[in-house]
Amino acid sequence: MSDALINGLAGAGGGIIAQLITYPLQTVNTRQQTERDLKKEKRKLGTIEQMCQVVKHEGWERLYGGLTPSLVGTAASQGVYYYFYQIFRNKAEAAALERMKRGIGDGSVGMFSSLVVAAFAGCVNVLLTNPIWVVVTRMQTHKEVEKKSQPGQTQSITLDEAILTAAAEPPPYGTVRAVQEVYDEAGVLGLWKGLFPTLIMVSNPSIQFMLYETMLKKLKKRRASSNNGVTALEIFLLGALAKLGATVVTYPLLVVKSRLQAKQVTTGDKRHHYKGTYDAFLKMIRYEGFNGFYKGMSTKIAQSVLAAAVLFMVKEELVKGARFLLASSATKNVKPKLPS
C-alpha cells in the first residue's frame, strides 16, 4: 500500500469522526452566515441558544440536516485532498533532494513549496467535490415551517381531511429533493455554485497545513535529541492552532460561498439575491457593511478548531497504526535464510 493511499484513507477516517462530533455547530454556523433578515439580526442569538431554537421549532434532526451527503463529502474531500497532497509532496521532496545534490538548499521542502503543494491538492479537491457541498448547504439552511393551529380551531379532523393534508405535504427535504431544487434553479452548473470563492479558499487548508507542518517540524527537531515522539495531545493542539490562524484569514470568503450556495430568493428584496461572487461582495458591503463578512465567526472558530484538531489527531494515529501493521506483515512474510 502506497504512502499516499495510507494518508488518503486516514484523512477520510479522521474527517468523518470530526464531522460527526461537530456537525450541529456546522449547521448553526451555515444558518448564521446565510441569515439576511434584518429583523432577526437585531436580536442576535448565541450559538447554544440558536441550537435550542432549531430543536424547539424544527426538531433535533434538523441539526443534522444534510449529514449523509456531508459525511460522503467529508470522506471524499479528505481522501482526495490527502491522496493528492501526498503525491505532490513526494514530488516536491524529490525535487528538493535533486537541488541539494546540485548544492542548492538542505534537501527539505520549504514553507513556500508546502503552500504550493497544499494549493494544488486543494484545487483538485474543490473541482471534484463542490457539488456535494452545494447540496449540504441547501439541506443545512432549509427550515421546516412549524405548523400552528389558529385560535379557537378544533383539533379534531376527519379521516378524509387527514389523508388530503398528508398528500398535500411536500416530501421530506432530503438529498434528492435538494439536488432537484438546485438543478431547477440553474441546471447542472448550479452544482458548482460558489466555485470561485471556494477555489480562492484553497488558501485556507494551504495556510493550515503550512502552519501545521512548520510547527510540527520544529517540535520534532526539539524532541530529536531526547528521542521522545510527538504525542496525540500535541498533534491535537497543533491542529487547533493551525486551523485557527487559517480560519481568521479566509472567513469572509466562506460567508460569500455559503450565500451563493444557499437557496436564492428571486422575488422581493434584491438584497437577498446574488447573481455571482462579485455581486454578493458588493451587496454585502452596501447593505450589511464589513461586519456581514464575519457573521457567525465565533461559532465557526469553535467548530473548525475542534474538527481540525480531532482530524489531525485521528489521522496521525491511523497512519501510525497502518504503517505498524504493514511493517509487522512484511516482517512475518520474510523467510529466514537456511544455513548452507
Side-chain angles (χ1 to χ4, degrees):
M1 186 182 290
S2 69
D3 205 44
L5 185 58
I6 291 174
N7 277 272
L9 293 174
I16 288 174
I17 293 172
Q19 188 83 327
L20 286 170
I21 293 172
T22 64
Y23 197 78
L25 285 172
Q26 187 178 330
T27 298
V28 170
N29 179 240
T30 305
R31 291 191 175 203
Q32 290 171 339
Q33 291 170 349
T34 56
E35 182 58 65
R36 284 161 274 182
D37 190 335
L38 296 177
K39 292 180 180 178
K40 289 184 180 179
E41 286 177 19
K42 290 179 180 178
R43 51 180 191 86
K44 292 181 179 179
L45 299 176
T47 302
I48 302 300
E49 191 177 358
Q50 196 163 351
M51 289 174 70
C52 292
Q53 288 289 322
V54 173
V55 173
K56 180 180 178 181
H57 297 293
E58 304 174 54
W60 66 268
E61 65 274 7
R62 289 311 308 162
L63 287 175
Y64 290 90
L67 178 62
T68 301
S70 181
L71 289 176
V72 173
T74 298
S77 292
Q78 296 298 337
V80 168
Y81 185 87
Y82 280 109
Y83 180 77
F84 283 98
Y85 178 84
Q86 195 61 45
I87 288 175
F88 294 143
R89 185 163 184 86
N90 289 343
K91 292 182 181 295
E93 287 175 350
L97 289 173
E98 285 295 323
R99 288 196 300 271
M100 186 181 69
K101 289 177 182 178
R102 298 196 302 266
I104 304 172
D106 59 356
S108 63
V109 179
M111 186 179 293
F112 179 74
S113 296
S114 294
L115 187 64
V116 172
V117 165
F120 278 139
C123 286
V124 175
N125 174 38
V126 167
L127 291 170
L128 293 177
T129 64
N130 194 75
I132 299 174
W133 298 114
V134 172
V135 173
V136 171
T137 300
R138 289 298 178 100
M139 295 180 73
Q140 287 177 335
T141 54
H142 176 76
K143 296 181 180 179
E144 297 288 349
V145 179
E146 186 182 33
K147 295 182 180 179
K148 296 180 180 179
S149 58
Q150 297 295 329
Q153 183 181 3
T154 58
Q155 297 297 319
S156 60
I157 58 174
T158 65
L159 179 61
D160 290 339
E161 287 174 335
I163 293 172
L164 288 171
T165 302
E169 287 182 355
Y173 196 84
T175 305
V176 175
R177 192 174 157 198
V179 172
Q180 185 64 50
E181 184 182 83
V182 175
Y183 181 79
D184 291 342
E185 283 182 15
V188 176
L189 292 178
L191 293 169
W192 274 269
K193 277 189 173 182
L195 181 64
F196 182 68
T198 308
L199 282 172
I200 300 175
M201 275 182 61
V202 162
S203 58
N204 183 292
S206 299
I207 294 169
Q208 175 187 345
F209 277 94
M210 180 186 68
L211 292 173
Y212 171 73
E213 292 213 343
T214 301
M215 291 187 291
L216 182 63
K217 192 175 179 181
K218 289 182 178 179
L219 186 59
K220 282 182 176 179
K221 279 186 177 179
R222 285 186 179 181
R223 296 290 170 82
S225 57
S226 58
N227 293 323
N228 291 328
V230 181
T231 65
L233 178 60
E234 287 169 332
I235 294 292
F236 182 94
L237 294 173
L238 290 180
L241 285 171
K243 189 62 180 181
L244 177 61
T247 299
V248 171
V249 173
T250 61
Y251 191 76
L253 288 167
L254 182 62
V255 175
V256 173
K257 177 191 78 79
S258 296
R259 294 281 182 101
L260 291 170
Q261 292 180 345
K263 186 175 182 179
Q264 297 294 305
V265 180
T266 55
T267 58
D269 198 335
K270 291 182 179 180
R271 293 177 297 180
H272 295 181
H273 178 66
Y274 305 123
K275 296 176 183 177
T277 305
Y278 182 67
D279 186 50
F281 268 106
L282 288 181
K283 285 181 177 176
M284 288 181 69
I285 292 172
R286 180 178 179 183
Y287 298 116
E288 301 175 55
F290 286 99
N291 289 336
F293 290 103
Y294 289 93
K295 282 185 176 179
M297 186 170 178
S298 58
T299 306
K300 183 60 182 177
I301 288 175
Q303 184 269 328
S304 294
V305 169
L306 178 59
V310 172
L311 166 62
F312 280 118
M313 182 177 68
V314 173
K315 174 188 170 289
E316 292 294 335
E317 292 302 306
L318 289 175
V319 169
K320 285 180 185 177
R323 286 174 177 166
F324 176 77
L325 290 174
L326 288 172
S328 300
S329 178
T331 304
K332 289 179 181 178
N333 291 333
V334 174
K335 294 181 180 179
K337 292 182 179 180
L338 296 173
S340 55

